[in-house]
């Protein structure tokens, strides 16, 4: 499969090791057949080097006279370098680490990439440039995007990419970093403008994957691959047209639980559908729910210790059977001090109080003292606190949301 010109697709090739031909041994990349569209790369400055993927840099546009002149000049430089050795060795020998390659232009014509290890660069006739193959990252600053349904959001992105063809990255584009940033910005604006506000909020991971694929289509001829695109929703600047309900704000990433973003989103949508079904109830139900908030027995509590006393008085075997989980609370006071509390609803009538249980809790919850009191008083719902970032959950989100059962039990007592 040829890398340039008309071909059925792109294929990653192993980077050469010490100027050897490309082989099937593992290199920086293996075969990658995701991009199977037909491409025509005519017009690039490497059009006369059609077999780069096979490490064949023969330039057939070079005439016989030019070839003879190049051969003579190269021979003379080799001869002078050999005569002045070892003094010339300090200038012509370069040490290239494993994560870099040297792209050489000899008398203006491209040569195979050199490295890793000790490589020879001839003086006067060789111009060379180092290419770093390690993964790099940059961020797209938040920009305003008008959604398909008329909303206005501020969205940014974190992007990771790496170079898989040193020659293409040097020859195909003048400023690789600036071109990649501009491509990422334009691709993000075009993709998100075709989505609704709800799709952007609930499918950020999926949209990031599609955005990465679209960017790879454009950056593949540059010898660059986009590894990861993570969209960052800064905020909703304008609601969609048509009187839609309030926006859904997805929860922030929890340290150590970044890989659970997809399942957490699915659970969030599950609880959202439940909350929407409750808001769709008749008006009389809404009035009675507001009355319940005013009659919460924990409304007069002003400290977490007092709240634990109220919770301890309503614990029962039935409540333990419904919840069946052990909770650890890390509560931050107004003075900045962090206090630990537990709530064990796994056996007997349950228990709660200050301190840390010797066993491992099912869920750890981190929040401020005011938010905890507001949540148990019914002013702040657990899912709303989690969605807004005021409640940080370490563990199963579904288990954490079972606190709603305890809160409802407090209202009825």
């Amino acid at each position: 499969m040829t890398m340039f010109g008309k071909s059925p697709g792109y294929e990653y090739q192993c980077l050469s090791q010490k100027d050897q031909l490309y082989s099937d041994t593992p290199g920086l990349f293996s075969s990658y057949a995701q991009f199977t569209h037909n491409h025509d790369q005519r017009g690039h400055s490497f059009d006369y080097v059609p077999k780069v993927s096979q490490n064949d840099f023969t330039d057939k546009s070079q005439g016989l006279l030019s070839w003879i002149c190049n051969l003579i000049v190269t021979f003379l430089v080799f001869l002078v370098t050999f005569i002045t050795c070892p003094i010339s060795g300090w200038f012509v020998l370069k040490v290239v680490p494993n994560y870099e390659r040297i792209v050489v232009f000899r008398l203006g014509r491209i040569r195979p990439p050199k490295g890793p290890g000790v490589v020879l660069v001839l003086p006067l006739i060789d111009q060379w440039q180092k290419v770093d193959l390690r993964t790099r990252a940059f961020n797209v600053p938040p920009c305003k995007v008008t959604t398909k349904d008329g909303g206005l959001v501020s969205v940014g992105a974190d992007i990771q990419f790496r170079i898989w063809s040193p020659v293409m990255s040097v020859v195909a584009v003048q400023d690789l970093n600036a071109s990649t940033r501009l491509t990422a910005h334009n691709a993000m604006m075009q993709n998100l403008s075709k989505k609704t506000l709800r799709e952007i909020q609930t499918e950020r991971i999926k949209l990031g994957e599609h955005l990465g694929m679209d960017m790879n289509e454009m950056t593949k001829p540059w010898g660059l691959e986009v590894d990861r695109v993570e969209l960052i929703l800064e905020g909703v600047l304008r609601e969609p047209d048509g009187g839609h309900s309030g926006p859904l704000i997805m929860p922030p990433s929890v340290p150590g639980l970044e890989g659970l973003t997809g399942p957490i989103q699915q659970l969030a949508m599950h609880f959202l559908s439940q909350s929407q079904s409750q808001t769709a109830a008749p008006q009389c139900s809404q009035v009675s729910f507001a009355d319940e908030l005013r009659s919460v027995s924990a409304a007069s509590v002003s400290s977490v210790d007092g709240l634990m006393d109220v919770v301890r008085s309503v614990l029962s075997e039935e409540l333990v059977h419904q919840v069946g989980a052990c909770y650890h609370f890390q509560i931050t006071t107004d003075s900045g001090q962090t206090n630990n509390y537990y709530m064990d609803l796994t056996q007997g009538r349950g228990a709660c109080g200050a301190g840390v249980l010797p066993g491992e809790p099912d869920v750890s919850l981190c929040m401020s003292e005011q938010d905890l009191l507001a949540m148990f008083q019914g002013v702040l719902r657990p899912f709303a606190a989690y969605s807004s970032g005021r409640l940080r959950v370490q563990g199963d989100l579904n288990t954490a949301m079972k606190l709603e059962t305890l809160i409802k039990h407090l209202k009825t007592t």
Side-chain angles (χ1 to χ4, degrees), residues 138 140 159 173 175-191 211-222 224 226 229:
F138 67 91
V140 178
I159 298 176
V173 60
D175 191 336
L176 185 65
N177 291 331
S179 300
T180 305
R181 289 175 181 270
L182 182 60
T183 300
H185 180 271
N186 294 337
M188 185 180 70
M189 296 289 289
Q190 293 177 3
N191 278 267
L211 181 58
M213 294 174 61
D214 292 341
M215 289 184 59
N216 274 324
E217 287 284 346
M218 293 177 279
T219 61
K220 193 68 62 174
W222 304 344
L224 179 148
V226 177
V229 177

Side-chain angles (χ1 to χ4, degrees), residues 212-321:
M213 294 174 61
D214 292 341
M215 289 184 59
N216 274 324
E217 287 284 346
M218 293 177 279
T219 61
K220 193 68 62 174
W222 304 344
L224 179 148
E225 184 209 20
V226 177
D227 284 341
R228 181 183 178 188
V229 177
E230 182 177 355
L231 294 177
I232 301 176
L233 181 60
E234 295 290 332
V236 180
L237 306 180
R238 185 179 68 228
E239 295 296 329
D241 300 332
H244 295 282
S245 58
L248 170 66
I249 303 176
M250 293 308 301
S253 300
V254 180
L257 299 177
E258 290 83 357
L260 300 179
T261 308
I264 286 179
Q265 283 189 340
Q266 295 177 3
L267 288 174
M269 290 302 300
H270 170 71
F271 289 108
L272 178 67
S273 61
Q274 291 183 350
S275 62
Q276 287 180 340
S277 62
Q278 293 178 359
T279 56
Q283 185 67 23
C284 59
S285 300
Q286 296 179 1
V287 174
S288 61
F289 178 74
D291 292 336
E292 285 183 352
L293 290 180
R294 301 189 185 98
S295 61
V296 175
S297 58
S300 59
V301 177
S302 59
S303 65
V304 180
D305 293 328
L307 176 64
M308 290 298 167
D309 293 336
V310 175
V311 173
R312 192 180 297 110
S313 64
V314 300
L315 294 180
S316 62
E317 295 182 358
E318 179 183 359
L319 187 61
V320 170
H321 177 72

Side-chain angles (χ1 to χ4, degrees), residues 161-176:
F161 70 96
R162 53 182 172 176
I163 294 174
W164 63 273
S165 175
V167 174
M168 295 167 63
S169 66
V170 173
V171 179
V173 60
Q174 182 179 15
D175 191 336
L176 185 65

Side-chain angles (χ1 to χ4, degrees), residues 56 113 297 366 390:
D56 183 2
S297 58
C366 302
R390 298 162 69 178

